[in-house]
Amino acid sequence: EAAVTQSPRNKVAVTGGKVTLSCNQTNNHNNMYWYRQDTGHGLRLIHYSYGAGSTEKGDIPDGYKASRPSQENFSLILELATPSQTSVYFCASGDGQNTLYFGAGTRLSVL
Amino acid sequence: QQQVRQSPQSLTVWEGETAILNCSYEDSTFDYFPWYHQFPGESPALLIAIRPVSNKKEDGRFTIFFNKREKKFSLHIADSQPGDSATYFCAAESWQLIFGSGTQLTVMP
């Protein structure tokens, strides 16, 4: 069974709209991450969290907010979506021993 | 900004050949160097990793060679199989994991 579950798997949004990407993990890991994947850029870290109530900025946080209401859930929020945010987004949980476990990804298109 | 540079962007080899993927880094505080692979339509997953106390790590057909002095490390895939076709990401970590841009490997039968 998938231990890191993302929803939705696909999303089409309009420019200026609000988008929320959700992530749930059953690994009981303290650390959770949001990455975006674009051709030529690999995986770039947007936000991460060390536990419930904590969020930290990664390398490319502009235009994104994050929320970690519980150990299991970590959301990525685009308050005003722009076409440049069209991408594939991956959530991951970390076991504190350096290994990341990724969800299946969310393909977001902003028109 | 910390960077991890990866090359080549794409690589095609014949079945049975050794594929060599390369990465370099700048930050001397990095102390963990994993390789992740990602099959089409799937999510990245850890393949193999090394710490700087070693200069080589083997796991079956997959070997990491690490050169601390030159700040380079590479993944060698021996006896490449078509099932190895995937995108491979190197990464480096000190307090956070920084990924390279990926190498798309195609193994021709």
Side-chain angles (χ1 to χ4, degrees):
Chain A
E1 286 191 27
V4 180
T5 305
Q6 294 182 229
S7 63
R9 292 294 313 278
N10 294 279
K11 173 74 176 178
V12 178
V14 296
T15 298
K18 182 177 181 178
V19 177
T20 300
L21 306 183
S22 299
C23 180
N24 176 275
Q25 57 110 352
T26 58
N27 294 323
N28 196 32
H29 290 160
N30 288 330
N31 302 339
M32 295 187 74
Y33 307 83
W34 276 106
Y35 288 88
R36 62 177 285 177
Q37 183 176 22
D38 304 284
T39 303
H41 291 279
L43 293 156
R44 292 182 290 173
L45 182 63
I46 306 170
H47 284 286
Y48 60 100
S49 168
Y50 291 127
S54 111
T55 60
E56 306 289 339
K57 293 181 179 180
D59 294 327
I60 53 166
D62 292 346
Y64 302 93
K65 291 172 57 178
S67 174
R68 181 88 182 270
S70 66
Q71 177 82 340
E72 297 79 19
N73 295 295
F74 189 39
S75 297
L76 185 68
I77 303 152
L78 291 66
E79 294 279 5
L80 294 169
T82 68
S84 65
Q85 294 175 312
T86 294
S87 186
V88 179
Y89 292 84
F90 285 100
C91 174
S93 71
D95 61 1
Q97 300 297 320
N98 307 111
T99 301
L100 296 188
Y101 299 87
F102 285 86
T106 295
R107 186 174 298 275
L108 173 66
S109 296
V110 182
L111 305 179
Chain B
Q1 184 179 1
Q2 299 173 317
Q3 284 192 348
V4 177
R5 292 187 174 84
Q6 186 170 353
S7 65
Q9 186 174 353
S10 64
L11 176 65
T12 299
V13 299
W14 293 102
E15 183 175 355
E17 293 185 333
T18 297
I20 300 175
L21 291 66
N22 300 297
C23 282
S24 64
Y25 63 97
E26 299 169 356
D27 192 334
S28 298
T29 67
F30 287 139
D31 59 3
Y32 177 72
F33 301 88
W35 285 87
Y36 281 73
H37 60 176
Q38 182 180 27
F39 295 99
E42 297 187 9
S43 53
L46 178 67
L47 175 61
I48 186 173
I50 193 169
R51 293 195 180 273
V53 293
S54 302
N55 56 22
K56 182 180 178 181
K57 176 75 174 292
E58 289 182 89
D59 185 357
R61 296 185 294 108
F62 301 91
T63 303
I64 299 177
F65 291 93
F66 184 81
N67 186 322
K68 186 174 182 179
R69 181 180 63 83
E70 295 186 7
K71 296 182 180 177
K72 293 180 179 180
F73 58 110
S74 60
L75 176 68
H76 291 222
I77 305 174
D79 187 26
S80 296
Q81 301 297 309
D84 296 329
S85 298
T87 300
Y88 292 78
F89 295 98
C90 64
E93 181 177 55
S94 54
W95 61 273
Q96 73 175 55
L97 197 60
I98 306 296
F99 285 90
S101 56
T103 295
Q104 186 169 347
L105 174 67
T106 302
V107 181
M108 302 294 291

PDB file of all heavy atoms in Angstrom, chain B residues 76-94:
ATOM      1  N   HIS B  76      27.863   3.922 -11.987  1.00  0.00           N
ATOM      2  CA  HIS B  76      28.147   2.992 -13.063  1.00  0.00           C
ATOM      3  C   HIS B  76      27.127   1.860 -13.017  1.00  0.00           C
ATOM      4  O   HIS B  76      26.941   1.241 -11.953  1.00  0.00           O
ATOM      5  CB  HIS B  76      29.559   2.411 -12.925  1.00  0.00           C
ATOM      6  CG  HIS B  76      30.647   3.405 -13.158  1.00  0.00           C
ATOM      7  ND1 HIS B  76      31.788   3.104 -13.891  1.00  0.00           N
ATOM      8  CD2 HIS B  76      30.785   4.689 -12.769  1.00  0.00           C
ATOM      9  CE1 HIS B  76      32.562   4.173 -13.923  1.00  0.00           C
ATOM     10  NE2 HIS B  76      31.986   5.147 -13.249  1.00  0.00           N
ATOM     11  N   ILE B  77      26.478   1.640 -14.144  1.00  0.00           N
ATOM     12  CA  ILE B  77      25.515   0.542 -14.246  1.00  0.00           C
ATOM     13  C   ILE B  77      26.109  -0.486 -15.185  1.00  0.00           C
ATOM     14  O   ILE B  77      26.185  -0.268 -16.404  1.00  0.00           O
ATOM     15  CB  ILE B  77      24.154   1.038 -14.777  1.00  0.00           C
ATOM     16  CG1 ILE B  77      23.628   2.192 -13.909  1.00  0.00           C
ATOM     17  CG2 ILE B  77      23.146  -0.113 -14.799  1.00  0.00           C
ATOM     18  CD1 ILE B  77      22.359   2.835 -14.443  1.00  0.00           C
ATOM     19  N   ALA B  78      26.566  -1.575 -14.617  1.00  0.00           N
ATOM     20  CA  ALA B  78      27.197  -2.625 -15.405  1.00  0.00           C
ATOM     21  C   ALA B  78      26.153  -3.515 -16.061  1.00  0.00           C
ATOM     22  O   ALA B  78      25.031  -3.655 -15.546  1.00  0.00           O
ATOM     23  CB  ALA B  78      28.107  -3.458 -14.517  1.00  0.00           C
ATOM     24  N   ASP B  79      26.535  -4.087 -17.218  1.00  0.00           N
ATOM     25  CA  ASP B  79      25.635  -5.019 -17.914  1.00  0.00           C
ATOM     26  C   ASP B  79      24.228  -4.420 -18.010  1.00  0.00           C
ATOM     27  O   ASP B  79      23.227  -5.023 -17.594  1.00  0.00           O
ATOM     28  CB  ASP B  79      25.598  -6.361 -17.180  1.00  0.00           C
ATOM     29  CG  ASP B  79      24.836  -7.430 -17.924  1.00  0.00           C
ATOM     30  OD1 ASP B  79      24.744  -7.341 -19.165  1.00  0.00           O
ATOM     31  OD2 ASP B  79      24.317  -8.352 -17.265  1.00  0.00           O
ATOM     32  N   SER B  80      24.148  -3.225 -18.571  1.00  0.00           N
ATOM     33  CA  SER B  80      22.869  -2.498 -18.629  1.00  0.00           C
ATOM     34  C   SER B  80      21.791  -3.331 -19.314  1.00  0.00           C
ATOM     35  O   SER B  80      22.042  -4.040 -20.298  1.00  0.00           O
ATOM     36  CB  SER B  80      23.055  -1.182 -19.381  1.00  0.00           C
ATOM     37  OG  SER B  80      23.929  -0.321 -18.686  1.00  0.00           O
ATOM     38  N   GLN B  81      20.586  -3.226 -18.759  1.00  0.00           N
ATOM     39  CA  GLN B  81      19.428  -3.952 -19.284  1.00  0.00           C
ATOM     40  C   GLN B  81      18.352  -2.955 -19.724  1.00  0.00           C
ATOM     41  O   GLN B  81      18.251  -1.860 -19.179  1.00  0.00           O
ATOM     42  CB  GLN B  81      18.858  -4.870 -18.202  1.00  0.00           C
ATOM     43  CG  GLN B  81      19.838  -5.907 -17.672  1.00  0.00           C
ATOM     44  CD  GLN B  81      20.274  -6.874 -18.751  1.00  0.00           C
ATOM     45  OE1 GLN B  81      19.430  -7.453 -19.450  1.00  0.00           O
ATOM     46  NE2 GLN B  81      21.576  -7.056 -18.903  1.00  0.00           N
ATOM     47  N   PRO B  82      17.518  -3.328 -20.697  1.00  0.00           N
ATOM     48  CA  PRO B  82      16.438  -2.412 -21.103  1.00  0.00           C
ATOM     49  C   PRO B  82      15.570  -1.974 -19.938  1.00  0.00           C
ATOM     50  O   PRO B  82      15.052  -0.852 -19.925  1.00  0.00           O
ATOM     51  CB  PRO B  82      15.650  -3.259 -22.112  1.00  0.00           C
ATOM     52  CG  PRO B  82      16.680  -4.157 -22.717  1.00  0.00           C
ATOM     53  CD  PRO B  82      17.613  -4.506 -21.587  1.00  0.00           C
ATOM     54  N   GLY B  83      15.408  -2.814 -18.947  1.00  0.00           N
ATOM     55  CA  GLY B  83      14.639  -2.477 -17.762  1.00  0.00           C
ATOM     56  C   GLY B  83      15.284  -1.419 -16.888  1.00  0.00           C
ATOM     57  O   GLY B  83      14.648  -0.903 -15.967  1.00  0.00           O
ATOM     58  N   ASP B  84      16.546  -1.072 -17.180  1.00  0.00           N
ATOM     59  CA  ASP B  84      17.220   0.008 -16.453  1.00  0.00           C
ATOM     60  C   ASP B  84      16.861   1.377 -17.027  1.00  0.00           C
ATOM     61  O   ASP B  84      17.233   2.405 -16.452  1.00  0.00           O
ATOM     62  CB  ASP B  84      18.738  -0.160 -16.513  1.00  0.00           C
ATOM     63  CG  ASP B  84      19.223  -1.422 -15.811  1.00  0.00           C
ATOM     64  OD1 ASP B  84      18.581  -1.848 -14.830  1.00  0.00           O
ATOM     65  OD2 ASP B  84      20.242  -1.988 -16.263  1.00  0.00           O
ATOM     66  N   SER B  85      16.182   1.397 -18.166  1.00  0.00           N
ATOM     67  CA  SER B  85      15.822   2.666 -18.798  1.00  0.00           C
ATOM     68  C   SER B  85      14.950   3.482 -17.849  1.00  0.00           C
ATOM     69  O   SER B  85      13.873   3.032 -17.442  1.00  0.00           O
ATOM     70  CB  SER B  85      15.086   2.418 -20.115  1.00  0.00           C
ATOM     71  OG  SER B  85      15.928   1.732 -21.034  1.00  0.00           O
ATOM     72  N   ALA B  86      15.425   4.654 -17.499  1.00  0.00           N
ATOM     73  CA  ALA B  86      14.763   5.494 -16.505  1.00  0.00           C
ATOM     74  C   ALA B  86      15.506   6.815 -16.445  1.00  0.00           C
ATOM     75  O   ALA B  86      16.536   7.001 -17.103  1.00  0.00           O
ATOM     76  CB  ALA B  86      14.779   4.830 -15.127  1.00  0.00           C
ATOM     77  N   THR B  87      14.998   7.711 -15.629  1.00  0.00           N
ATOM     78  CA  THR B  87      15.724   8.943 -15.327  1.00  0.00           C
ATOM     79  C   THR B  87      16.415   8.769 -13.982  1.00  0.00           C
ATOM     80  O   THR B  87      15.794   8.306 -13.016  1.00  0.00           O
ATOM     81  CB  THR B  87      14.783  10.153 -15.281  1.00  0.00           C
ATOM     82  OG1 THR B  87      14.155  10.300 -16.555  1.00  0.00           O
ATOM     83  CG2 THR B  87      15.556  11.429 -14.972  1.00  0.00           C
ATOM     84  N   TYR B  88      17.677   9.101 -13.943  1.00  0.00           N
ATOM     85  CA  TYR B  88      18.477   8.941 -12.734  1.00  0.00           C
ATOM     86  C   TYR B  88      18.864  10.318 -12.199  1.00  0.00           C
ATOM     87  O   TYR B  88      19.367  11.168 -12.940  1.00  0.00           O
ATOM     88  CB  TYR B  88      19.727   8.117 -13.029  1.00  0.00           C
ATOM     89  CG  TYR B  88      19.412   6.669 -13.352  1.00  0.00           C
ATOM     90  CD1 TYR B  88      18.940   6.312 -14.604  1.00  0.00           C
ATOM     91  CD2 TYR B  88      19.552   5.680 -12.389  1.00  0.00           C
ATOM     92  CE1 TYR B  88      18.618   4.994 -14.903  1.00  0.00           C
ATOM     93  CE2 TYR B  88      19.242   4.347 -12.674  1.00  0.00           C
ATOM     94  CZ  TYR B  88      18.772   4.025 -13.931  1.00  0.00           C
ATOM     95  OH  TYR B  88      18.455   2.716 -14.211  1.00  0.00           O
ATOM     96  N   PHE B  89      18.634  10.523 -10.914  1.00  0.00           N
ATOM     97  CA  PHE B  89      18.981  11.781 -10.255  1.00  0.00           C
ATOM     98  C   PHE B  89      20.067  11.527  -9.219  1.00  0.00           C
ATOM     99  O   PHE B  89      19.911  10.659  -8.347  1.00  0.00           O
ATOM    100  CB  PHE B  89      17.776  12.371  -9.534  1.00  0.00           C
ATOM    101  CG  PHE B  89      16.650  12.794 -10.427  1.00  0.00           C
ATOM    102  CD1 PHE B  89      15.559  11.964 -10.633  1.00  0.00           C
ATOM    103  CD2 PHE B  89      16.670  14.030 -11.067  1.00  0.00           C
ATOM    104  CE1 PHE B  89      14.514  12.348 -11.451  1.00  0.00           C
ATOM    105  CE2 PHE B  89      15.624  14.423 -11.897  1.00  0.00           C
ATOM    106  CZ  PHE B  89      14.547  13.586 -12.089  1.00  0.00           C
ATOM    107  N   CYS B  90      21.152  12.275  -9.307  1.00  0.00           N
ATOM    108  CA  CYS B  90      22.077  12.286  -8.190  1.00  0.00           C
ATOM    109  C   CYS B  90      21.618  13.363  -7.212  1.00  0.00           C
ATOM    110  O   CYS B  90      20.815  14.229  -7.561  1.00  0.00           O
ATOM    111  CB  CYS B  90      23.505  12.556  -8.645  1.00  0.00           C
ATOM    112  SG  CYS B  90      23.781  14.178  -9.398  1.00  0.00           S
ATOM    113  N   ALA B  91      22.105  13.287  -6.008  1.00  0.00           N
ATOM    114  CA  ALA B  91      21.740  14.270  -4.990  1.00  0.00           C
ATOM    115  C   ALA B  91      22.849  14.353  -3.963  1.00  0.00           C
ATOM    116  O   ALA B  91      23.730  13.489  -3.888  1.00  0.00           O
ATOM    117  CB  ALA B  91      20.416  13.893  -4.321  1.00  0.00           C
ATOM    118  N   ALA B  92      22.798  15.423  -3.198  1.00  0.00           N
ATOM    119  CA  ALA B  92      23.767  15.618  -2.132  1.00  0.00           C
ATOM    120  C   ALA B  92      23.061  16.270  -0.954  1.00  0.00           C
ATOM    121  O   ALA B  92      22.146  17.079  -1.140  1.00  0.00           O
ATOM    122  CB  ALA B  92      24.926  16.499  -2.603  1.00  0.00           C
ATOM    123  N   GLU B  93      23.472  15.910   0.239  1.00  0.00           N
ATOM    124  CA  GLU B  93      22.779  16.418   1.420  1.00  0.00           C
ATOM    125  C   GLU B  93      23.751  16.875   2.495  1.00  0.00           C
ATOM    126  O   GLU B  93      24.751  16.203   2.772  1.00  0.00           O
ATOM    127  CB  GLU B  93      21.894  15.331   2.018  1.00  0.00           C
ATOM    128  CG  GLU B  93      21.105  15.788   3.249  1.00  0.00           C
ATOM    129  CD  GLU B  93      20.180  14.726   3.772  1.00  0.00           C
ATOM    130  OE1 GLU B  93      20.667  13.623   4.060  1.00  0.00           O
ATOM    131  OE2 GLU B  93      18.967  15.003   3.889  1.00  0.00           O
ATOM    132  N   SER B  94      23.440  18.059   3.048  1.00  0.00           N
ATOM    133  CA  SER B  94      24.046  18.431   4.323  1.00  0.00           C
ATOM    134  C   SER B  94      22.890  18.571   5.301  1.00  0.00           C
ATOM    135  O   SER B  94      22.580  17.667   6.031  1.00  0.00           O
ATOM    136  CB  SER B  94      24.871  19.718   4.205  1.00  0.00           C
ATOM    137  OG  SER B  94      24.086  20.750   3.660  1.00  0.00           O
TER     138      SER B  94
END
